[in-house]
């Protein structure tokens, strides 16, 4: 991959509601997402833990934190304005789309957007992606983005690469085609709020697909 896509977008959201501060010192995030079923998420975590040690990554993403980000709503040091939450919930209410199946069958490391918590060696995200068959989740992202624009909310770029981050580590991983894809039936999407250091996200809104 040429780089990880920032689902919060860049500097093109000036004057729009949302987005939050440009610096990466925020503690709170609000975003739309889909998540794997709990049993599958645990399977992904176990597989990631075994593989991560080969590449110097000590802490794979826990099962209860795994997600596929769709559209960012806000990021900040502080809490979100209630009116912006109401608008995000209105966006979710407006989506009409059938459920779909998704299969993540490729392991790769995204370049760019590397980060370091200590100021030392950078770490990069290793993710699961779809070789094909991601058209429906891309369409869901586009629908949410369009509704956000309608309400004057900040949006990220049109381009979108569905991915599920499984660890951050110091080494790039060679692209790997999985023999057994991680597959599930997507029947809901959520609006969630995550707080840095908090074990579980807060699920603010849930909507059915179908």
């Amino acid at each position: 991959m040429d780089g990880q896509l920032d689902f919060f977008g860049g500097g093109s959201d000036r004057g729009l509601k949302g987005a939050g501060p440009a610096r990466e010192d925020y503690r709170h995030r609000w975003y739309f997402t889909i998540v794997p079923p709990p049993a599958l998420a645990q399977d992904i975590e176990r597989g990631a833990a075994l593989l991560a040690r080969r590449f110097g990554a000590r802490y794979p993403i826990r099962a209860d934190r795994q997600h596929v980000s769709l559209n960012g709503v806000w990021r900040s040091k502080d809490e979100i304005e209630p009116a912006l939450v109401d608008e995000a919930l209105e966006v979710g209410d407006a989506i009409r789309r059938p459920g779909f199946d998704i299969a993540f069958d490729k392991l790769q490391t995204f370049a760019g957007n590397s980060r370091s918590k200590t100021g030392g060696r950078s770490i990069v995200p290793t993710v699961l992606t779809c070789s094909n068959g991601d058209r429906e989740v891309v369409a869901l992202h586009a629908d949410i983005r369009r509704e956000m624009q309608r309400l004057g909310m900040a949006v990220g770029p049109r381009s979108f690469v569905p991915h599920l981050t499984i660890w951050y580590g110091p080494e790039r991983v060679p692209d790997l085609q999985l023999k057994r894809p991680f597959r599930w039936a997507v029947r809901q999407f959520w609006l969630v709020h995550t707080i840095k250091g908090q074990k579980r996200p807060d699920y603010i809104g849930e909507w059915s697909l179908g």
Side-chain angles (χ1 to χ4, degrees):
M1 295 293 295
D2 294 331
Q4 184 178 12
L5 298 179
D6 180 359
F7 67 87
F8 284 100
S12 61
D13 50 24
R14 183 174 300 172
L16 295 177
K17 295 174 287 184
R23 302 183 309 275
E24 292 193 0
D25 55 0
Y26 42 82
R27 184 166 178 260
H28 297 267
R29 290 174 181 258
W30 289 261
Y31 53 91
F32 291 100
T33 186
I34 60 175
V35 299
L40 180 61
Q42 291 171 5
D43 193 16
I44 294 172
E45 182 181 359
R46 284 192 294 268
L50 292 173
L51 189 59
R53 287 195 289 268
R54 291 173 49 189
F55 297 96
R58 297 176 59 190
Y59 303 110
I61 304 298
R62 297 189 308 270
D64 58 5
R65 299 281 293 189
Q66 291 173 14
H67 65 280
V68 180
S69 300
L70 296 172
N71 306 73
V73 173
W74 184 257
R75 57 184 181 181
S76 176
K77 292 181 179 179
D78 306 309
E79 289 286 344
I80 194 172
E81 294 182 5
L84 191 54
V85 173
D86 290 342
E87 289 178 340
L89 293 172
E90 183 178 342
V91 168
D93 289 341
I95 302 302
R96 299 288 184 271
R97 180 160 288 279
F100 55 90
D101 292 345
I102 192 167
F104 288 89
D105 61 352
K106 188 175 182 181
L107 182 77
Q108 60 188 128
T109 299
F110 280 169
N113 282 0
S114 62
R115 64 179 193 178
S116 173
K117 295 181 179 179
T118 63
R121 183 167 54 170
S122 295
I123 58 176
V124 290
T126 293
V127 305
L128 298 175
T129 59
C130 308
S131 294
N132 52 55
D134 62 0
R135 181 175 59 184
E136 294 299 329
V137 69
V138 170
L140 176 59
H141 164 268
D143 285 355
I144 295 172
R145 185 180 186 276
R146 185 161 44 249
E147 287 298 321
M148 291 176 68
Q149 284 183 309
R150 183 180 64 83
L151 293 177
M153 301 173 70
V155 296
R158 291 181 183 275
S159 56
F160 170 62
V161 179
H163 62 276
L164 190 156
T165 302
I166 56 174
W167 75 69
Y168 289 90
E171 297 185 30
R172 292 183 56 83
V173 176
D175 288 2
L176 176 66
Q177 195 74 30
L178 303 182
K179 294 182 179 178
R180 180 176 64 86
F182 294 104
R183 184 189 309 272
W184 77 90
V186 179
R187 298 295 181 264
Q188 300 91 17
F189 70 100
W190 289 266
L191 174 67
V192 302
H193 171 210
T194 60
I195 303 174
K196 187 176 181 180
Q198 181 173 293
K199 289 185 177 181
R200 292 179 58 85
D202 293 327
Y203 289 83
I204 299 171
E206 177 183 352
W207 296 271
S208 296
L209 297 170

